[in-house]
Amino acid sequence: MATLTISDKERFLINQEGQDFSHEAKTFIKIRELALKNLKDLDFPTNKLEDWKYTNLRGISKIEFRPQSAINIIAAKVKAHKIPNLDAYTLVFVNGFFSAEFSDTAEEKDGNFVVTNLNTAKKKFIKFVEPYLGFQTRAKDQFFVNLNAAFSQDGAFVYVKAHQKLDKPVHIINLVDGDLVAAYPRNLIIADKLAEAQVVVSYETIDTASALSNVINEVFVAEGAHVQMDKIQNENGNTYHIGADYAVQHKDSTFTINTIPANGKLIRNNLSILLDGTGCTANLNGAICLNGDIHVDNQTYVDHAQPNCDSNELYKAVVNDQAASIFNGKIYVNKIAQQTNAFQSNANILMSDDAKANSKPQLEIYADDVKCSHGCTIGQFDDEALFYLRTRGIKESTAKKVLLEAFIGEVLDNIKIEAVRDYASALIAKNFNSKN
Amino acid sequence: MLKINGLKAEINGKEILKGLNLEVKPGEVHAIMGPNGSGKSTLASVLAGREEYEVTGGDVDFEGEDLLDLSPEQRAGEGLFLAFQYPVEIPGVSNINFIKTAVNEVREYRGLPNLETKEFMKLLKEKQQLVELSGKLANRSVNEGFSGGEKKRNEIFQMAMLNPKLGILDETDSGLDIDALRIVANGVNELKTKDNAFVVVTHYQRLLDYIVPDFVHVLYDGRIVKTGTKELALELEEKGYDWIIDEFKETV
């Protein structure tokens, strides 16, 4: 008799099943089916893959993560994860499921904008959702992108009509509560022609001994539109966070994304921006301050597909204790993308002997009239500056704080909403000190 | 005020100061001169508490405190100030926030309350004028993009803000043109009182035309080998150091 063996991946996928998506429109079920089909040929990425060289997911496939809806959420525990002084439309998701009770949706009467959960939008605003959902994430070869596409429970839906502006930011709070949770939140953000939106996405935990957050953000920035997104990752030290952010930009649009990975066990961000019209500006910033044994891996990809676009990328990391920060930034300039300005900078400060930083800039340029630059530095704390401050009577602890704040502050200045900037600054300041 | 007794210090296993003695009393200005590599900057660094130097012998008494036992910030709190030969550029930290933090930390150390914003601004303006430092530099990052002269004036400005008992000027004059030199020297002279003191480390006699020393010491091979009055500086300018070195070698 043949022995039937089942791989870790197969067992993992079986654990994700059991959610009923049959109520969804056919077009959305098709996306899930395609993703499931892709998953058949894919597996958890290993270090053998160049893009996963420094991030080891060994063991994650053996953990019995499962989708779980949270029960009996206590209001105070949700409130604790709001950003103080932030006046926003708040959407709350727990373990990937929408929590209407804690959310305030908005559907402007004349349809100027819609802020709601994706499952509602899939029914009520199908004509807005259908052309966009999954459009950017058809990547056949990405295991986690397909995993989210297949099993995503819900997410935020933000749509701003042409010429309209969201009157206040949208804050999407993603919480995890419970052990061995697999959460698959997926947000879809669309700014139509000349529209404007500010979106803050935060990932936090109520309580968990182990969890997987596998998230996707899809952003569409139409002609002349402006979208700013701040992404704050503040989950507890038992949480694996594998995220992908996709943005497509059309002519003369501006997209800014500020990523702040502050806490978690392992964080992987795949950020991919397609400049698909002339005159676009994309700003990608990362403020990374780590302590303990967290592992953070930021992969960015900017595709200059059209001429006359600018991309500005600034990632800065302060790495303490045994933490690791990986940066892999790729810029691709198509042969027709003349007059491209692409700037990339990655600076790292290692605060301890065991801290790690890896930086890999990749430029692939096929046009001949472009300005591209990249720079990466990995260094120790500036002892000379520290000594200088101390000779002026400034205590060592204060001096260190002043210097680190100045270093990271250059990135945080890109967060335009003051309350969000304060929140991010406070998370970062906590990590200046060693956890040991 | 300052009593250095048999001070020995080394860096990377190499002995630089080899038993240095020096006494500075309130109201005095001491000039320390000497050829390159004699240990002038090492002396300044050791007094300010630079950690790369290891003190292997001797002691330093500053106002009754064992100076070598104190951290750099404590030394500043006690009233010691070092004007750097090469002031450090600190991107992202504004000059005004830096000096405000420094003033208040030093005040805290001395048991004084923080300065009110109004008082601080008044002091700031007054001291900026003292060294003719443009107000525009206040909002720039510390020393970043400053000219050589601006950096040195910024050092004297900081000294004026912190009001130390003992100011050590480490080759503050090097690289300065006459006008900048005059401004720097004038700043120091304005700060001079009967209660404070200055140690001026310099390569050139020129500075001493403007800051008139009570004593001139010649540092050679990690020791003070000759002490005189301001006339000694003029003699050095004229004759160089060789005659002193020869004199010293004969006595040894």
Side-chain angles (χ1 to χ4, degrees):
Chain A
M1 223 166 72
T3 327
L4 196 66
T5 54
I6 168 166
S7 72
D8 288 341
K9 179 202 78 177
E10 284 163 326
R11 188 180 305 111
F12 185 93
L13 291 180
I14 290 167
N15 283 338
Q16 310 315 306
E17 285 169 6
Q19 298 190 81
D20 181 12
F21 299 113
S22 61
H23 57 276
E24 290 191 339
K26 231 187 192 153
T27 176
F28 302 127
I29 288 178
K30 259 179 150 171
I31 294 175
R32 295 187 189 275
E33 284 171 353
L34 178 64
L36 279 172
K37 189 169 157 271
N38 290 339
L39 285 171
K40 281 211 171 93
D41 304 323
L42 293 168
D43 206 338
F44 284 86
T46 68
N47 291 146
K48 282 181 194 145
L49 296 167
E50 184 62 26
D51 285 351
W52 290 86
K53 198 171 167 188
Y54 297 105
T55 296
N56 194 331
L57 295 177
R58 201 177 309 142
I60 194 175
S61 62
K62 290 195 197 309
I63 306 175
E64 306 245 312
F65 293 122
R66 277 188 179 84
Q68 298 170 38
S69 60
I71 38 167
N72 299 329
I73 302 291
I74 296 161
K77 291 194 172 173
V78 174
K79 259 196 183 148
H81 298 283
K82 290 202 168 189
I83 293 176
N85 306 317
L86 176 64
D87 180 22
Y89 296 108
T90 306
L91 298 176
V92 175
F93 297 86
V94 183
N95 298 348
F97 294 89
F98 183 53
S99 175
E101 186 188 349
F102 301 110
S103 301
D104 43 311
T105 55
E107 292 165 25
E108 276 276 72
K109 280 191 200 87
D110 45 4
N112 284 348
F113 55 81
V114 178
V115 177
T116 187
N117 63 316
L118 190 56
N119 286 350
T120 299
K122 278 175 173 176
K123 290 183 207 123
K124 278 178 82 172
F125 305 102
I126 187 163
K127 69 172 172 146
F128 294 144
V129 180
E130 198 184 2
Y132 296 105
L133 187 71
F135 178 79
Q136 299 178 66
T137 58
R138 287 170 300 182
K140 264 189 162 170
D141 58 337
Q142 299 288 317
F143 179 79
F144 286 102
V145 170
N146 283 287
L147 192 63
N148 178 290
F151 299 110
S152 175
Q153 295 97 356
D154 206 343
F157 176 74
V158 178
Y159 173 81
V160 188
K161 201 178 160 184
H163 300 275
Q164 300 302 319
K165 185 185 168 182
L166 266 179
D167 56 344
K168 51 185 183 179
V170 176
H171 182 199
I172 306 162
I173 305 178
N174 300 279
L175 300 171
V176 173
D177 191 31
D179 296 337
L180 297 170
V181 168
Y184 299 103
R186 181 186 189 108
N187 302 324
L188 179 60
I189 293 141
I190 303 157
D192 216 331
K193 195 174 168 182
L194 294 162
E196 256 181 77
Q198 282 185 313
V199 179
V200 184
V201 190
S202 59
Y203 298 93
E204 313 230 347
T205 34
I206 293 177
D207 190 26
T208 182
S210 186
L212 170 68
S213 284
N214 177 202
V215 318
I216 286 180
N217 290 296
E218 275 186 288
V219 185
F220 290 85
V221 194
E223 183 180 341
H226 286 252
V227 174
Q228 164 135 16
M229 188 167 150
D230 303 315
K231 181 176 174 179
I232 296 172
Q233 297 168 294
N234 181 34
E235 290 165 314
N236 76 8
N238 306 318
T239 310
Y240 295 89
H241 184 110
I242 315 269
D245 307 297
Y246 292 89
V248 171
Q249 293 185 239
H250 293 143
K251 199 176 166 215
D252 300 326
S253 65
T254 301
F255 176 63
T256 299
I257 178 163
N258 301 309
T259 305
I260 299 104
N263 291 299
K265 181 183 179 68
L266 180 150
I267 296 175
R268 163 74 175 221
N269 292 318
N270 274 36
L271 168 59
S272 177
I273 297 176
L274 171 63
L275 302 171
D276 206 14
T278 56
C280 294
T281 302
N283 304 306
L284 314 65
N285 306 300
I288 301 140
C289 184
L290 311 173
N291 64 3
D293 56 7
I294 187 175
H295 179 102
V296 173
D297 183 347
N298 282 293
Q299 306 265 324
T300 68
Y301 178 59
V302 181
D303 185 348
H304 280 263
Q306 295 291 332
N308 285 300
C309 293
D310 293 353
S311 64
N312 306 298
E313 183 165 13
L314 177 66
Y315 273 69
K316 282 188 161 187
V318 175
V319 193
N320 218 325
D321 299 337
Q322 304 83 38
S325 178
I326 319 297
F327 174 80
N328 187 345
K330 188 168 179 178
I331 296 170
Y332 179 92
V333 182
N334 190 290
K335 66 175 188 296
I336 66 158
Q338 302 295 359
Q339 268 101 45
T340 287
N341 288 313
F343 303 109
Q344 183 191 81
S345 164
N346 173 232
N348 301 276
I349 294 180
L350 298 177
M351 299 286 287
S352 79
D353 291 345
D354 296 327
K356 277 196 276 300
N358 284 293
S359 181
K360 185 180 171 193
Q362 290 175 274
L363 265 55
E364 225 175 288
I365 302 169
Y366 297 100
D368 52 15
D369 183 14
V370 301
K371 264 188 224 156
C372 291
S373 72
H374 67 85
C376 74
T377 56
I378 297 176
Q380 315 299 317
F381 194 74
D382 186 351
D383 286 330
E384 193 60 27
L386 184 65
F387 178 63
Y388 189 70
L389 294 180
R390 292 177 72 192
T391 62
R392 272 46 177 157
I394 301 174
K395 280 188 290 290
E396 189 176 5
S397 56
T398 312
K400 272 192 173 166
K401 198 167 161 263
V402 165
L403 291 173
L404 292 175
E405 275 174 357
F407 178 75
I408 287 284
E410 191 191 354
V411 184
L412 292 178
D413 285 347
N414 292 295
I415 301 177
K416 293 288 172 259
I417 308 166
E418 198 183 341
V420 178
R421 195 170 56 241
D422 290 348
Y423 189 75
S425 302
L427 284 180
I428 280 173
K430 263 191 207 161
N431 289 355
F432 284 156
N433 298 318
S434 167
K435 230 178 202 174
N436 295 345
Chain B
M1 177 182 284
L2 180 76
K3 224 178 202 168
I4 303 174
N5 187 15
L7 184 63
K8 290 183 181 177
E10 59 178 51
I11 187 163
N12 302 328
K14 189 176 180 243
E15 191 170 56
I16 311 280
L17 299 183
K18 301 177 178 174
L20 186 143
N21 301 308
L22 177 70
E23 187 174 357
V24 179
K25 296 199 177 92
E28 293 178 349
V29 174
H30 291 246
I32 296 186
M33 303 184 73
N36 280 332
S38 58
K40 299 190 300 289
S41 280
T42 299
L43 174 62
S45 292
V46 168
L47 291 178
R50 196 183 276 277
E51 275 160 8
E52 293 93 304
Y53 293 93
E54 198 190 335
V55 175
T56 51
D59 51 73
V60 179
D61 179 286
F62 179 60
E63 295 276 86
E65 296 275 341
D66 178 358
L67 187 76
L68 300 176
D69 225 26
L70 303 177
S71 67
E73 55 269 33
Q74 287 171 327
R75 297 178 196 202
E78 292 293 336
L80 185 118
F81 183 93
L82 170 68
F84 278 52
Q85 181 178 3
Y86 304 111
V88 182
E89 297 189 6
I90 310 180
V93 178
S94 82
N95 216 26
I96 190 165
N97 282 340
F98 157 62
I99 198 64
K100 195 172 180 182
T101 306
V103 165
N104 284 330
E105 292 240 345
V106 164
R107 287 179 67 90
E108 188 190 324
Y109 184 88
R110 294 175 188 166
L112 299 167
N114 278 3
L115 273 186
E116 298 284 329
T117 305
K118 214 174 137 189
E119 287 171 86
F120 172 77
M121 292 311 290
K122 198 179 146 219
L123 185 71
L124 183 85
K125 271 214 175 111
E126 185 189 315
K127 302 304 182 191
Q128 275 173 343
Q129 274 165 9
L130 180 74
V131 288
E132 300 175 31
L133 198 67
S134 156
K136 278 183 226 150
L137 295 183
N139 293 319
R140 295 246 300 271
S141 291
V142 178
N143 292 325
E144 199 184 32
F146 286 30
S147 69
E150 284 169 342
K151 280 182 184 169
K152 297 298 176 78
R153 268 146 59 194
N154 198 23
E155 294 293 288
I156 306 303
F157 160 71
Q158 290 167 32
M159 182 164 79
M161 291 294 287
L162 296 175
N163 191 24
K165 289 178 193 153
L166 176 67
I168 302 165
L169 277 58
D170 187 8
E171 305 209 15
T172 299
D173 54 329
S174 57
L176 293 188
D177 60 28
I178 299 271
D179 285 341
L181 186 72
R182 236 183 242 145
I183 293 169
V184 163
N186 182 47
V188 173
N189 288 331
E190 290 280 331
L191 294 173
K192 223 174 98 180
T193 69
K194 63 177 184 10
D195 300 317
N196 61 19
F198 293 92
V199 173
V200 181
V201 176
T202 182
H203 219 61
Y204 309 101
Q205 182 274 335
R206 187 180 67 154
L207 176 68
L208 306 180
D209 286 342
Y210 300 97
I211 304 173
V212 182
D214 299 296
F215 299 95
V216 173
H217 308 278
V218 177
L219 189 59
Y220 173 71
D221 196 24
R223 271 163 286 206
I224 286 174
V225 295
K226 193 171 183 72
T227 293
T229 55
K230 62 181 179 186
E231 283 74 24
L232 176 59
L234 291 167
E235 206 175 344
L236 289 170
E237 179 84 357
E238 202 177 307
K239 301 203 284 191
Y241 290 102
D242 287 353
W243 63 281
I244 290 182
I245 294 166
D246 291 343
E247 218 178 82
F248 171 69
K249 280 183 178 156
E250 270 167 40
T251 51
V252 177

